[in-house]
Amino acid sequence: MAGFLDRAKEQAQRGLTQGKQKLDEVQAQRAGGDLLKKLGAAYYAERRGSGTPEATQQALQALESHIAAHGDAFLHS
């Protein structure tokens, strides 16, 4: 009986770990999408004359930092 409970506990732990990993991936993709939107908005504002090159550069740097930390999978989905 103890062996069964140990296996069940291990399976439950594996399931929790996999679920957390998937949640982290989804959150990183959403954050990447938000940063990409911000970059687009900054670029658009700059082109229209209401934004600055500095704001566009900051948005680009934030996006590049995110990609360095989490990859660019959100760009391909």
Side-chain angles (χ1 to χ4, degrees), residues 4 8 10 12 14 18 23 39 41-42 44-45 50 52 57 66 69-70 73:
F4 171 77
E10 287 174 19
R14 248 183 283 132
Q18 289 173 347
L23 178 63
L39 174 59
Y44 180 76
S50 60
T52 65
Q57 187 60 34
H66 179 80
H70 303 286

Side-chain angles (χ1 to χ4, degrees), residues 19-37:
K20 179 162 178 11
Q21 288 173 343
K22 184 64 178 173
L23 178 63
D24 290 345
E25 288 174 23
V26 169
Q27 288 176 333
Q29 286 185 348
R30 285 184 183 163
D34 289 345
L35 289 170
L36 191 57
K37 275 189 205 176

